[in-house]
Amino acid sequence: DVTDLGSTEQLAATTIEEFGRVDSLINNAAFYLQVTRGPFEELPPEEWDLCMAVNVKGAWLCSRAVSPIMKKQSHGTILNIASMTVNDGTPGFLHYVASKSAIWGLTRSMARELGPFGIRVNTLTPDYIPHDKEYDAKQPEVNKAIISRRCLSRTQEPEDLVGTMLYLVSDLSEFTTGQNIWVNGGSAFH
């Protein structure tokens, strides 16, 4: 449970027991599929809280749990996963968009705080990836619309993130921190 301090501390302790070190953390847990879509005035407050707890607090707690280990190692990477909904300002989805906006800020501040310890913190921001058949069947027009605005006109697959993810957690990106890397097939540019 990424929203629970004890669970995240246990995650770090178990990793140390098993592997003796923590080289990378990828914060990818998200409350997404079950979110209410609609005008922001109609979003249930308890759902807002859950979205922020999983998407923002979860990334913070997991990072908090591994940072002492990474500080002792004088090395480590934290990779936070955001969403192109932030750039797009996707309507009817305010709590999710706001939570992923917070990830951009979380990354930048943590990069400043952890940089002196040799720890790099970055964000990977993918575009829409239709990965849940039931969810995607409810809105088939979304993927088509997004494909139409991409330079690379096809559906984004989870595998499209692998190369960039490996770069960001490896020593190949040794001098890259505080950055937000978009992997979106050219649907938008910085």
Side-chain angles (χ1 to χ4, degrees), residues 119-173:
I119 302 166
R120 295 174 287 115
V121 186
N122 291 292
T123 300
L124 177 59
T125 299
D127 207 348
Y128 179 69
I129 301 173
H131 64 286
D132 183 275
K133 290 184 189 334
E134 186 179 320
Y135 180 83
D136 300 319
K138 294 177 188 174
Q139 52 178 16
E141 72 287 349
V142 171
N143 191 39
K144 289 177 186 171
I146 293 172
I147 288 171
S148 73
R149 69 182 192 198
R150 287 186 179 139
C151 298
L152 304 174
S153 300
R154 66 169 176 80
T155 296
Q156 184 167 358
E157 303 292 338
E159 295 77 17
D160 292 326
L161 302 176
V162 173
T164 305
M165 191 174 289
L166 288 173
Y167 164 73
L168 290 171
V169 299
S170 76
D171 290 339
L172 293 172
S173 61

Short mmCIF file of all heavy atoms in Angstrom, two decimals, residues 119-173:
data_model
loop_
_atom_site.label_atom_id
_atom_site.label_comp_id
_atom_site.label_asym_id
_atom_site.label_seq_id
_atom_site.Cartn_x
_atom_site.Cartn_y
_atom_site.Cartn_z
N ILE A 119 22.04 11.41 -5.91
CA ILE A 119 20.77 10.76 -6.28
C ILE A 119 20.08 11.60 -7.35
O ILE A 119 19.92 12.81 -7.18
CB ILE A 119 19.85 10.61 -5.04
CG1 ILE A 119 20.56 9.79 -3.97
CG2 ILE A 119 18.52 9.96 -5.45
CD1 ILE A 119 19.90 9.86 -2.60
N ARG A 120 19.71 10.95 -8.44
CA ARG A 120 19.03 11.63 -9.53
C ARG A 120 17.54 11.34 -9.47
O ARG A 120 17.12 10.23 -9.17
CB ARG A 120 19.59 11.16 -10.88
CG ARG A 120 21.04 11.54 -11.06
CD ARG A 120 21.67 10.97 -12.32
NE ARG A 120 21.90 9.53 -12.18
CZ ARG A 120 21.29 8.59 -12.89
NH1 ARG A 120 20.43 8.90 -13.83
NH2 ARG A 120 21.57 7.32 -12.70
N VAL A 121 16.73 12.36 -9.76
CA VAL A 121 15.27 12.23 -9.75
C VAL A 121 14.74 12.82 -11.05
O VAL A 121 15.02 13.98 -11.37
CB VAL A 121 14.64 12.96 -8.55
CG1 VAL A 121 13.15 12.69 -8.48
CG2 VAL A 121 15.32 12.57 -7.24
N ASN A 122 13.99 12.03 -11.79
CA ASN A 122 13.41 12.48 -13.06
C ASN A 122 11.97 12.02 -13.18
O ASN A 122 11.51 11.18 -12.41
CB ASN A 122 14.24 11.93 -14.23
CG ASN A 122 15.61 12.57 -14.31
OD1 ASN A 122 15.73 13.75 -14.60
ND2 ASN A 122 16.65 11.80 -14.02
N THR A 123 11.30 12.57 -14.17
CA THR A 123 9.93 12.18 -14.48
C THR A 123 9.88 11.65 -15.89
O THR A 123 10.48 12.22 -16.80
CB THR A 123 8.96 13.38 -14.37
OG1 THR A 123 9.00 13.89 -13.04
CG2 THR A 123 7.54 12.99 -14.70
N LEU A 124 9.13 10.59 -16.08
CA LEU A 124 8.81 10.05 -17.39
C LEU A 124 7.33 10.32 -17.61
O LEU A 124 6.50 9.91 -16.80
CB LEU A 124 9.11 8.56 -17.44
CG LEU A 124 8.78 7.82 -18.73
CD1 LEU A 124 9.54 8.41 -19.92
CD2 LEU A 124 9.12 6.34 -18.58
N THR A 125 7.01 11.03 -18.68
CA THR A 125 5.63 11.40 -18.96
C THR A 125 5.16 10.76 -20.26
O THR A 125 5.50 11.23 -21.34
CB THR A 125 5.48 12.94 -19.02
OG1 THR A 125 5.86 13.49 -17.75
CG2 THR A 125 4.06 13.35 -19.34
N PRO A 126 4.39 9.68 -20.14
CA PRO A 126 3.85 9.04 -21.34
C PRO A 126 2.54 9.68 -21.77
O PRO A 126 1.89 10.40 -21.00
CB PRO A 126 3.61 7.60 -20.90
CG PRO A 126 3.32 7.72 -19.43
CD PRO A 126 4.11 8.90 -18.94
N ASP A 127 2.16 9.39 -22.99
CA ASP A 127 0.85 9.76 -23.51
C ASP A 127 -0.12 8.64 -23.15
O ASP A 127 0.24 7.68 -22.46
CB ASP A 127 0.95 9.95 -25.03
CG ASP A 127 -0.09 10.92 -25.58
OD1 ASP A 127 -1.03 11.29 -24.85
OD2 ASP A 127 0.06 11.31 -26.76
N TYR A 128 -1.30 8.71 -23.66
CA TYR A 128 -2.33 7.70 -23.40
C TYR A 128 -1.89 6.34 -23.94
O TYR A 128 -1.49 6.23 -25.10
CB TYR A 128 -3.64 8.13 -24.06
CG TYR A 128 -4.78 7.16 -23.88
CD1 TYR A 128 -5.35 6.98 -22.63
CD2 TYR A 128 -5.26 6.43 -24.96
CE1 TYR A 128 -6.41 6.09 -22.47
CE2 TYR A 128 -6.31 5.54 -24.80
CZ TYR A 128 -6.88 5.37 -23.55
OH TYR A 128 -7.92 4.50 -23.38
N ILE A 129 -1.96 5.34 -23.08
CA ILE A 129 -1.64 3.96 -23.45
C ILE A 129 -2.87 3.12 -23.17
O ILE A 129 -3.21 2.89 -22.00
CB ILE A 129 -0.43 3.42 -22.66
CG1 ILE A 129 0.80 4.28 -22.91
CG2 ILE A 129 -0.17 1.96 -23.02
CD1 ILE A 129 2.00 3.93 -22.04
N PRO A 130 -3.58 2.67 -24.20
CA PRO A 130 -4.79 1.86 -23.97
C PRO A 130 -4.40 0.45 -23.50
O PRO A 130 -4.15 -0.44 -24.29
CB PRO A 130 -5.47 1.84 -25.33
CG PRO A 130 -4.40 2.12 -26.31
CD PRO A 130 -3.35 2.93 -25.61
N HIS A 131 -4.33 0.29 -22.19
CA HIS A 131 -3.82 -0.95 -21.62
C HIS A 131 -4.88 -1.78 -20.90
O HIS A 131 -4.61 -2.90 -20.51
CB HIS A 131 -2.68 -0.64 -20.65
CG HIS A 131 -3.12 0.17 -19.47
ND1 HIS A 131 -3.40 1.50 -19.57
CD2 HIS A 131 -3.33 -0.19 -18.19
CE1 HIS A 131 -3.78 1.95 -18.38
NE2 HIS A 131 -3.74 0.95 -17.54
N ASP A 132 -6.06 -1.24 -20.73
CA ASP A 132 -7.13 -1.96 -20.07
C ASP A 132 -8.31 -2.07 -21.03
O ASP A 132 -8.97 -1.07 -21.32
CB ASP A 132 -7.54 -1.22 -18.78
CG ASP A 132 -8.61 -1.96 -18.00
OD1 ASP A 132 -9.81 -1.78 -18.32
OD2 ASP A 132 -8.24 -2.73 -17.10
N LYS A 133 -8.56 -3.26 -21.54
CA LYS A 133 -9.57 -3.45 -22.59
C LYS A 133 -10.96 -2.96 -22.19
O LYS A 133 -11.64 -2.30 -22.97
CB LYS A 133 -9.62 -4.92 -22.99
CG LYS A 133 -8.39 -5.41 -23.73
CD LYS A 133 -8.57 -6.85 -24.17
CE LYS A 133 -7.39 -7.54 -24.72
NZ LYS A 133 -6.33 -6.93 -25.34
N GLU A 134 -11.38 -3.26 -20.97
CA GLU A 134 -12.71 -2.83 -20.52
C GLU A 134 -12.82 -1.31 -20.45
O GLU A 134 -13.77 -0.71 -20.93
CB GLU A 134 -13.00 -3.45 -19.15
CG GLU A 134 -14.41 -3.18 -18.65
CD GLU A 134 -14.64 -3.83 -17.29
OE1 GLU A 134 -14.19 -4.97 -17.07
OE2 GLU A 134 -15.31 -3.20 -16.46
N TYR A 135 -11.82 -0.67 -19.87
CA TYR A 135 -11.80 0.79 -19.76
C TYR A 135 -11.75 1.43 -21.13
O TYR A 135 -12.47 2.38 -21.44
CB TYR A 135 -10.60 1.22 -18.91
CG TYR A 135 -10.47 2.71 -18.73
CD1 TYR A 135 -11.20 3.38 -17.74
CD2 TYR A 135 -9.62 3.47 -19.53
CE1 TYR A 135 -11.08 4.74 -17.56
CE2 TYR A 135 -9.50 4.84 -19.37
CZ TYR A 135 -10.22 5.47 -18.38
OH TYR A 135 -10.10 6.82 -18.21
N ASP A 136 -10.87 0.92 -21.99
CA ASP A 136 -10.69 1.51 -23.31
C ASP A 136 -11.90 1.32 -24.21
O ASP A 136 -12.19 2.16 -25.06
CB ASP A 136 -9.44 0.92 -23.98
CG ASP A 136 -8.20 1.20 -23.15
OD1 ASP A 136 -8.09 2.32 -22.63
OD2 ASP A 136 -7.36 0.30 -23.02
N ALA A 137 -12.64 0.23 -24.00
CA ALA A 137 -13.85 -0.02 -24.80
C ALA A 137 -14.92 1.03 -24.54
O ALA A 137 -15.76 1.30 -25.39
CB ALA A 137 -14.39 -1.42 -24.50
N LYS A 138 -14.87 1.66 -23.37
CA LYS A 138 -15.84 2.71 -23.02
C LYS A 138 -15.57 4.02 -23.75
O LYS A 138 -16.42 4.89 -23.80
CB LYS A 138 -15.82 2.96 -21.51
CG LYS A 138 -16.30 1.80 -20.68
CD LYS A 138 -16.16 2.12 -19.21
CE LYS A 138 -16.43 0.90 -18.35
NZ LYS A 138 -16.17 1.15 -16.93
N GLN A 139 -14.38 4.16 -24.29
CA GLN A 139 -13.99 5.43 -24.93
C GLN A 139 -13.06 5.18 -26.11
O GLN A 139 -11.94 5.70 -26.14
CB GLN A 139 -13.35 6.36 -23.92
CG GLN A 139 -12.20 5.72 -23.15
CD GLN A 139 -11.56 6.69 -22.19
OE1 GLN A 139 -12.11 7.75 -21.86
NE2 GLN A 139 -10.38 6.37 -21.75
N PRO A 140 -13.50 4.44 -27.12
CA PRO A 140 -12.61 4.11 -28.25
C PRO A 140 -12.16 5.34 -29.03
O PRO A 140 -11.11 5.32 -29.68
CB PRO A 140 -13.46 3.18 -29.11
CG PRO A 140 -14.87 3.50 -28.74
CD PRO A 140 -14.84 3.91 -27.30
N GLU A 141 -12.90 6.41 -28.97
CA GLU A 141 -12.56 7.62 -29.71
C GLU A 141 -11.30 8.30 -29.15
O GLU A 141 -10.61 9.03 -29.87
CB GLU A 141 -13.74 8.60 -29.70
CG GLU A 141 -14.02 9.29 -28.37
CD GLU A 141 -14.65 8.42 -27.27
OE1 GLU A 141 -15.09 7.29 -27.56
OE2 GLU A 141 -14.71 8.89 -26.12
N VAL A 142 -10.99 8.06 -27.88
CA VAL A 142 -9.83 8.73 -27.27
C VAL A 142 -8.53 8.33 -27.95
O VAL A 142 -7.74 9.17 -28.35
CB VAL A 142 -9.77 8.44 -25.74
CG1 VAL A 142 -8.47 8.94 -25.14
CG2 VAL A 142 -10.96 9.07 -25.05
N ASN A 143 -8.30 7.04 -28.10
CA ASN A 143 -7.07 6.59 -28.72
C ASN A 143 -6.97 7.09 -30.16
O ASN A 143 -5.92 7.56 -30.60
CB ASN A 143 -6.95 5.06 -28.67
CG ASN A 143 -5.57 4.58 -29.06
OD1 ASN A 143 -4.56 5.18 -28.71
ND2 ASN A 143 -5.53 3.49 -29.80
N LYS A 144 -8.07 7.04 -30.91
CA LYS A 144 -8.07 7.52 -32.30
C LYS A 144 -7.72 9.00 -32.37
O LYS A 144 -6.94 9.43 -33.23
CB LYS A 144 -9.42 7.26 -32.96
CG LYS A 144 -9.68 5.79 -33.23
CD LYS A 144 -11.06 5.59 -33.82
CE LYS A 144 -11.35 4.10 -33.96
NZ LYS A 144 -12.72 3.83 -34.32
N ALA A 145 -8.29 9.79 -31.48
CA ALA A 145 -8.02 11.23 -31.48
C ALA A 145 -6.56 11.52 -31.15
O ALA A 145 -5.93 12.38 -31.78
CB ALA A 145 -8.94 11.92 -30.47
N ILE A 146 -6.01 10.79 -30.20
CA ILE A 146 -4.62 11.02 -29.81
C ILE A 146 -3.68 10.57 -30.92
O ILE A 146 -2.70 11.26 -31.24
CB ILE A 146 -4.30 10.33 -28.47
CG1 ILE A 146 -5.08 11.04 -27.35
CG2 ILE A 146 -2.81 10.35 -28.17
CD1 ILE A 146 -5.03 10.38 -26.00
N ILE A 147 -3.97 9.44 -31.55
CA ILE A 147 -3.14 8.97 -32.67
C ILE A 147 -3.10 10.02 -33.77
O ILE A 147 -2.06 10.28 -34.37
CB ILE A 147 -3.66 7.63 -33.22
CG1 ILE A 147 -3.37 6.50 -32.24
CG2 ILE A 147 -3.05 7.31 -34.58
CD1 ILE A 147 -4.04 5.18 -32.61
N SER A 148 -4.22 10.67 -34.03
CA SER A 148 -4.30 11.63 -35.13
C SER A 148 -3.41 12.85 -34.93
O SER A 148 -3.05 13.52 -35.89
CB SER A 148 -5.75 12.08 -35.34
OG SER A 148 -6.16 12.94 -34.30
N ARG A 149 -3.01 13.15 -33.71
CA ARG A 149 -2.16 14.32 -33.46
C ARG A 149 -0.69 13.96 -33.26
O ARG A 149 0.13 14.85 -33.03
CB ARG A 149 -2.69 15.12 -32.28
CG ARG A 149 -2.55 14.43 -30.95
CD ARG A 149 -3.14 15.27 -29.84
NE ARG A 149 -2.74 14.70 -28.57
CZ ARG A 149 -3.32 14.95 -27.42
NH1 ARG A 149 -4.34 15.77 -27.37
NH2 ARG A 149 -2.90 14.39 -26.32
N ARG A 150 -0.36 12.68 -33.35
CA ARG A 150 1.03 12.24 -33.16
C ARG A 150 1.83 12.31 -34.46
O ARG A 150 1.30 12.01 -35.53
CB ARG A 150 1.08 10.79 -32.66
CG ARG A 150 0.66 10.63 -31.23
CD ARG A 150 0.87 9.22 -30.75
NE ARG A 150 0.46 9.12 -29.35
CZ ARG A 150 -0.21 8.11 -28.84
NH1 ARG A 150 -0.53 7.07 -29.58
NH2 ARG A 150 -0.54 8.12 -27.57
N CYS A 151 3.10 12.62 -34.35
CA CYS A 151 4.00 12.52 -35.50
C CYS A 151 4.17 11.06 -35.90
O CYS A 151 4.23 10.74 -37.09
CB CYS A 151 5.38 13.09 -35.16
SG CYS A 151 5.35 14.83 -34.75
N LEU A 152 4.25 10.18 -34.92
CA LEU A 152 4.31 8.74 -35.15
C LEU A 152 2.89 8.22 -34.96
O LEU A 152 2.45 7.97 -33.84
CB LEU A 152 5.29 8.07 -34.17
CG LEU A 152 6.72 8.62 -34.21
CD1 LEU A 152 7.56 8.00 -33.10
CD2 LEU A 152 7.36 8.38 -35.57
N SER A 153 2.17 8.08 -36.04
CA SER A 153 0.72 7.83 -36.01
C SER A 153 0.37 6.37 -35.71
O SER A 153 0.04 5.60 -36.60
CB SER A 153 0.10 8.23 -37.35
OG SER A 153 0.31 9.59 -37.58
N ARG A 154 0.46 6.03 -34.42
CA ARG A 154 0.06 4.70 -33.98
C ARG A 154 -0.27 4.73 -32.50
O ARG A 154 0.01 5.71 -31.80
CB ARG A 154 1.15 3.67 -34.26
CG ARG A 154 2.44 3.87 -33.46
CD ARG A 154 3.34 2.66 -33.62
NE ARG A 154 4.63 2.79 -32.98
CZ ARG A 154 4.88 2.63 -31.67
NH1 ARG A 154 3.90 2.35 -30.83
NH2 ARG A 154 6.11 2.76 -31.21
N THR A 155 -0.82 3.64 -32.03
CA THR A 155 -1.12 3.49 -30.61
C THR A 155 0.16 3.38 -29.82
O THR A 155 1.10 2.69 -30.24
CB THR A 155 -1.97 2.21 -30.40
OG1 THR A 155 -3.22 2.38 -31.06
CG2 THR A 155 -2.21 1.93 -28.93
N GLN A 156 0.22 4.07 -28.68
CA GLN A 156 1.38 3.93 -27.80
C GLN A 156 1.21 2.64 -26.99
O GLN A 156 0.14 2.37 -26.46
CB GLN A 156 1.53 5.12 -26.87
CG GLN A 156 2.77 5.03 -26.00
CD GLN A 156 3.12 6.33 -25.30
OE1 GLN A 156 2.46 7.34 -25.44
NE2 GLN A 156 4.18 6.28 -24.52
N GLU A 157 2.28 1.88 -26.91
CA GLU A 157 2.31 0.62 -26.17
C GLU A 157 3.18 0.78 -24.92
O GLU A 157 4.10 1.60 -24.91
CB GLU A 157 2.90 -0.50 -27.05
CG GLU A 157 2.18 -0.72 -28.37
CD GLU A 157 0.78 -1.30 -28.21
OE1 GLU A 157 0.51 -1.92 -27.14
OE2 GLU A 157 -0.03 -1.12 -29.13
N PRO A 158 2.93 -0.02 -23.88
CA PRO A 158 3.79 0.05 -22.69
C PRO A 158 5.27 -0.12 -23.03
O PRO A 158 6.13 0.53 -22.44
CB PRO A 158 3.29 -1.09 -21.81
CG PRO A 158 1.87 -1.29 -22.22
CD PRO A 158 1.83 -0.98 -23.69
N GLU A 159 5.57 -0.97 -24.01
CA GLU A 159 6.96 -1.22 -24.40
C GLU A 159 7.66 0.03 -24.94
O GLU A 159 8.89 0.10 -24.94
CB GLU A 159 7.03 -2.34 -25.46
CG GLU A 159 6.57 -3.70 -24.95
CD GLU A 159 5.06 -3.86 -24.84
OE1 GLU A 159 4.30 -3.05 -25.44
OE2 GLU A 159 4.63 -4.78 -24.12
N ASP A 160 6.89 1.01 -25.38
CA ASP A 160 7.48 2.25 -25.89
C ASP A 160 8.20 3.04 -24.80
O ASP A 160 9.00 3.92 -25.11
CB ASP A 160 6.40 3.13 -26.53
CG ASP A 160 5.83 2.53 -27.81
OD1 ASP A 160 6.59 1.86 -28.54
OD2 ASP A 160 4.63 2.73 -28.06
N LEU A 161 7.93 2.74 -23.55
CA LEU A 161 8.55 3.45 -22.44
C LEU A 161 9.86 2.82 -21.99
O LEU A 161 10.66 3.45 -21.31
CB LEU A 161 7.59 3.49 -21.24
CG LEU A 161 6.25 4.15 -21.49
CD1 LEU A 161 5.38 4.04 -20.25
CD2 LEU A 161 6.42 5.59 -21.91
N VAL A 162 10.08 1.56 -22.38
CA VAL A 162 11.20 0.80 -21.83
C VAL A 162 12.55 1.44 -22.09
O VAL A 162 13.36 1.59 -21.17
CB VAL A 162 11.17 -0.66 -22.34
CG1 VAL A 162 12.41 -1.43 -21.92
CG2 VAL A 162 9.91 -1.37 -21.85
N GLY A 163 12.84 1.84 -23.30
CA GLY A 163 14.15 2.42 -23.62
C GLY A 163 14.44 3.67 -22.81
O GLY A 163 15.53 3.82 -22.23
N THR A 164 13.47 4.57 -22.75
CA THR A 164 13.66 5.81 -22.00
C THR A 164 13.77 5.53 -20.51
O THR A 164 14.60 6.13 -19.80
CB THR A 164 12.50 6.79 -22.28
OG1 THR A 164 12.41 6.98 -23.69
CG2 THR A 164 12.73 8.12 -21.60
N MET A 165 12.97 4.58 -20.03
CA MET A 165 13.02 4.21 -18.62
C MET A 165 14.39 3.63 -18.26
O MET A 165 14.98 4.02 -17.24
CB MET A 165 11.91 3.19 -18.32
CG MET A 165 11.69 2.93 -16.86
SD MET A 165 10.26 1.86 -16.59
CE MET A 165 8.92 2.96 -17.01
N LEU A 166 14.89 2.74 -19.09
CA LEU A 166 16.21 2.16 -18.83
C LEU A 166 17.30 3.22 -18.86
O LEU A 166 18.22 3.21 -18.03
CB LEU A 166 16.52 1.05 -19.85
CG LEU A 166 15.73 -0.23 -19.67
CD1 LEU A 166 15.99 -1.18 -20.83
CD2 LEU A 166 16.03 -0.90 -18.34
N TYR A 167 17.20 4.15 -19.79
CA TYR A 167 18.16 5.26 -19.84
C TYR A 167 18.14 6.05 -18.53
O TYR A 167 19.19 6.32 -17.94
CB TYR A 167 17.83 6.18 -21.02
CG TYR A 167 18.50 7.53 -20.95
CD1 TYR A 167 19.86 7.67 -21.18
CD2 TYR A 167 17.76 8.67 -20.65
CE1 TYR A 167 20.48 8.90 -21.10
CE2 TYR A 167 18.37 9.91 -20.57
CZ TYR A 167 19.73 10.03 -20.79
OH TYR A 167 20.33 11.26 -20.70
N LEU A 168 16.95 6.38 -18.04
CA LEU A 168 16.83 7.23 -16.86
C LEU A 168 17.24 6.55 -15.56
O LEU A 168 17.63 7.24 -14.62
CB LEU A 168 15.41 7.80 -16.75
CG LEU A 168 15.05 8.84 -17.81
CD1 LEU A 168 13.57 9.16 -17.76
CD2 LEU A 168 15.90 10.10 -17.64
N VAL A 169 17.18 5.23 -15.49
CA VAL A 169 17.60 4.56 -14.26
C VAL A 169 19.03 4.01 -14.35
O VAL A 169 19.55 3.51 -13.36
CB VAL A 169 16.63 3.43 -13.83
CG1 VAL A 169 15.24 3.99 -13.56
CG2 VAL A 169 16.59 2.29 -14.82
N SER A 170 19.65 4.15 -15.51
CA SER A 170 21.01 3.63 -15.68
C SER A 170 22.03 4.76 -15.56
O SER A 170 21.70 5.94 -15.52
CB SER A 170 21.15 2.96 -17.05
OG SER A 170 21.25 3.93 -18.07
N ASP A 171 23.30 4.35 -15.55
CA ASP A 171 24.39 5.33 -15.50
C ASP A 171 24.55 6.10 -16.80
O ASP A 171 25.30 7.06 -16.87
CB ASP A 171 25.70 4.64 -15.13
CG ASP A 171 25.70 4.19 -13.67
OD1 ASP A 171 24.91 4.73 -12.87
OD2 ASP A 171 26.50 3.30 -13.34
N LEU A 172 23.83 5.71 -17.86
CA LEU A 172 23.86 6.46 -19.11
C LEU A 172 23.32 7.88 -18.92
O LEU A 172 23.66 8.78 -19.65
CB LEU A 172 23.06 5.75 -20.20
CG LEU A 172 23.62 4.41 -20.68
CD1 LEU A 172 22.62 3.73 -21.60
CD2 LEU A 172 24.95 4.63 -21.39
N SER A 173 22.46 8.05 -17.91
CA SER A 173 21.88 9.38 -17.64
C SER A 173 22.49 9.99 -16.38
O SER A 173 21.82 10.72 -15.65
CB SER A 173 20.36 9.27 -17.50
OG SER A 173 20.02 8.42 -16.42
#
